[in-house]
Amino acid sequence: MKKLTYILSVAILLMACPLRSNAVPKGYVLQPDSSNFITSSLIVVSPGENIYSALGHCAIRLECPMHDLDYCFSFGTNTATDADILKFFAGQLEAGYIAIPTQMIMQDYQTEGREVKQVELNLTLHEQQRMWEMLDKDMLEGDYRKFNYLNNNCSSMSLYATEWSLINEQIQFNKWPEPMTWNNGRCARFHGRHRPWLNFINVTLMGCLTDDFTDQEQRISPEVIIEVLNNASIVPNDSTPARPVLKAAPVTLLPLKHEITTSPFTPMVVFGILLALVVTITIIEWTTKWKLPAKAIDYLLFVAHVIISLLLLYMSTVACLFGMHWNWYLVVFNPIPAIAWLLWRKNKSYNNLYLVYTIVLIAFVAITPLSEQLDMEHQFITLALAVRCASNYLHGRKKTQLR
């Protein structure tokens, strides 16, 4: 039934000369050139609480008041379960356009207390008809893409839909906001600055891509898209004068009533506490005969190391969220220590592996300024591992000397 409704709406909207109707909504006046037969706008929504809305949302709103059509075409995922979070970080989550009645989506955002802004696009009637046709066709044919918030995300797809609707024209970006000129690592940290844990995960998984400069249009986010398009022009391929991308200043449809909840236990705080705890336990181990806390922390760190190593190896070699790439944290988190423990822990020279790994960890901390991926909130974990490896090496050496 929905498909039939959308097909009929497309048929109406593609009419070369739209028919006038006696059932015109109150206050609506169709211009002589029918230029306002369709209105196309960008809807920009403030960040939400869950992981999928952490950076906000962007959608295209298409209205045809004469025929009582008003839909938001939103590019997103059909996420329903927590298990999809793994697919999300693996880049395996399918996403596509879905048309949602604007009134319905506004009710959801109003319930969540999220701010909604709207800014009208400066497109011709034909271009707006073309956009509606394209979005309807894309949705009805189930043209799904792998969701990747560095490439295929709600903002970039809304921008691409606008570009695809143009005829013998193109968008010229005259000025980018400063964060959009930074490399991927700094840019990602800027966009996720209000969500420290999401930022921590993103930077961990991005690997060497943090040092690269991805296409600007792919990195666009709801926070900056209005500013970007406010400094952009639609440039024809002929001698026709250029025109602004946006037709008017943004208007606020819903005010912000809900602030994102933040926790004082950021990654910096949590892993700083972890490092302090490890140092304290190590001091207790060497100054008293109480060895149990040290053994317990060693087991916890070792199990966590194995789990993180396998996950990071999978994300860097199999998963396609960012593509297969080198990740600097594979130096610290890799299966080699676990394999060495399984195969050689009874060997007399096994203790020397603690010394080798301690040197590797300390050297890794020293190279922190060399990559945007490396920062101290991550390196607190590396230092905690280095302290325990050094302690275990010295204990092993002490036992060898006593024999």
Side-chain angles (χ1 to χ4, degrees):
M1 185 65 183
K2 286 185 177 180
K3 288 190 175 183
L4 179 60
T5 302
Y6 293 138
I7 291 172
L8 289 175
S9 70
V10 173
I12 294 172
L13 293 163
L14 294 179
M15 294 172 63
C17 183
L19 298 175
R20 296 177 185 269
S21 170
N22 293 326
V24 177
K26 184 178 180 180
Y28 173 74
V29 178
L30 182 64
Q31 298 295 330
D33 60 356
S34 299
S35 58
N36 66 333
F37 178 62
I38 301 174
T39 301
S40 59
S41 308
L42 278 180
I43 298 292
V44 181
V45 189
S46 65
E49 286 286 352
N50 66 53
I51 191 171
Y52 308 105
S53 62
L55 300 181
H57 188 58
C58 185
I60 292 177
R61 182 182 184 181
L62 293 174
E63 304 170 76
C64 180
M66 179 168 287
H67 296 286
D68 196 25
L69 297 173
D70 186 356
Y71 289 97
C72 280
F73 285 82
S74 175
F75 181 83
T77 62
N78 295 322
T79 301
T81 65
D82 292 338
D84 287 331
I85 292 178
L86 294 177
K87 290 184 179 180
F88 174 77
F89 281 112
Q92 298 295 331
L93 205 56
E94 288 190 339
Y97 286 106
I98 181 171
I100 307 172
T102 300
Q103 184 177 5
M104 182 185 299
I105 200 171
M106 289 300 166
Q107 288 175 349
D108 291 340
Y109 291 139
Q110 187 172 29
T111 301
E112 296 175 21
R114 296 167 67 180
E115 181 184 53
V116 178
K117 290 185 177 181
Q118 174 175 301
V119 58
E120 188 175 349
L121 296 170
N122 191 17
L123 301 178
T124 67
L125 173 61
H126 192 186
E127 289 167 344
Q128 292 176 108
Q129 289 175 317
R130 178 184 170 99
M131 176 186 283
W132 203 320
E133 176 191 19
M134 178 197 67
L135 291 174
D136 258 338
K137 182 178 179 181
D138 194 283
M139 181 186 62
L140 294 174
E141 292 180 354
D143 190 5
Y144 293 106
R145 302 167 177 84
K146 297 297 182 183
F147 185 83
N148 181 321
Y149 57 85
L150 283 185
N151 303 109
N152 298 328
N153 56 63
C154 61
S155 300
S156 63
M157 293 304 294
S158 296
L159 178 58
Y160 292 151
T162 304
E163 291 180 311
W164 296 332
S165 69
L166 301 177
I167 304 170
N168 296 322
E169 296 174 313
Q170 60 184 344
I171 295 180
Q172 177 178 296
F173 299 95
N174 303 315
K175 182 181 179 182
W176 293 99
E178 185 180 358
M180 298 293 290
T181 65
W182 300 338
N183 59 33
N184 292 338
R186 291 185 65 194
C187 187
R189 285 189 175 93
F190 169 79
H191 291 315
R193 63 193 182 281
H194 303 302
R195 305 298 288 268
W197 281 102
L198 181 61
N199 234 349
F200 180 83
I201 295 172
N202 284 343
V203 174
T204 302
L205 299 180
M206 284 178 70
C208 60
L209 283 181
T210 54
D211 301 311
D212 294 338
F213 293 82
T214 308
D215 187 345
Q216 301 282 34
E217 294 180 48
Q218 294 177 352
R219 300 194 307 176
I220 203 166
S221 73
E223 181 178 4
V224 299
I225 190 168
I226 292 180
E227 182 180 354
V228 168
L229 293 183
N230 195 43
N231 291 291
S233 305
I234 297 176
V235 181
N237 293 335
D238 54 24
S239 57
T240 307
R243 67 183 191 275
V245 175
L246 303 182
K247 198 169 187 178
V251 295
T252 300
L253 302 182
L254 291 175
L256 180 64
K257 293 186 177 181
H258 173 71
E259 295 289 346
I260 299 299
T261 55
T262 57
S263 169
F265 294 101
T266 62
M268 184 73 77
V269 172
V270 170
F271 297 124
I273 292 173
L274 172 66
L275 177 59
L277 180 64
V278 167
V279 171
T280 301
I281 288 175
T282 303
I283 292 173
I284 292 173
E285 177 190 25
W286 281 92
T287 57
T288 70
K289 294 182 179 181
W290 195 26
K291 310 298 181 185
L292 184 59
K295 288 184 178 180
I297 200 72
D298 282 344
Y299 282 126
L300 288 174
L301 287 176
F302 183 75
V303 170
H305 187 279
V306 172
I307 294 173
I308 295 172
S309 296
L310 294 176
L311 179 62
L312 196 59
L313 193 63
Y314 167 75
M315 294 298 296
S316 301
T317 59
V318 179
C320 58
L321 178 59
F322 302 108
M324 297 181 184
H325 59 278
W326 168 251
N327 191 309
W328 279 103
Y329 288 113
L330 287 173
V331 174
V332 176
F333 296 99
N334 61 76
I336 294 176
I339 294 172
W341 182 83
L342 289 171
L343 299 179
W344 301 304
R345 67 182 183 277
K346 295 182 179 180
N347 191 293
K348 293 181 179 179
S349 60
Y350 175 77
N351 188 61
N352 292 328
L353 290 177
Y354 283 117
L355 175 60
V356 173
Y357 209 56
T358 300
I359 295 172
V360 169
L361 294 173
I362 293 175
F364 188 77
V365 173
I367 67 170
T368 299
L370 301 183
S371 172
E372 285 290 339
Q373 187 187 20
L374 310 180
D375 54 34
M376 287 314 300
E377 54 192 340
H378 285 84
Q379 299 297 37
F380 282 160
I381 307 172
T382 306
L383 288 171
L385 291 171
V387 169
R388 291 310 306 156
C389 285
S391 180
N392 281 296
Y393 168 73
L394 293 174
H395 271 298
R397 185 176 179 183
K398 184 176 179 181
K399 288 180 181 179
T400 302
Q401 292 174 346
L402 292 174
R403 288 174 184 173

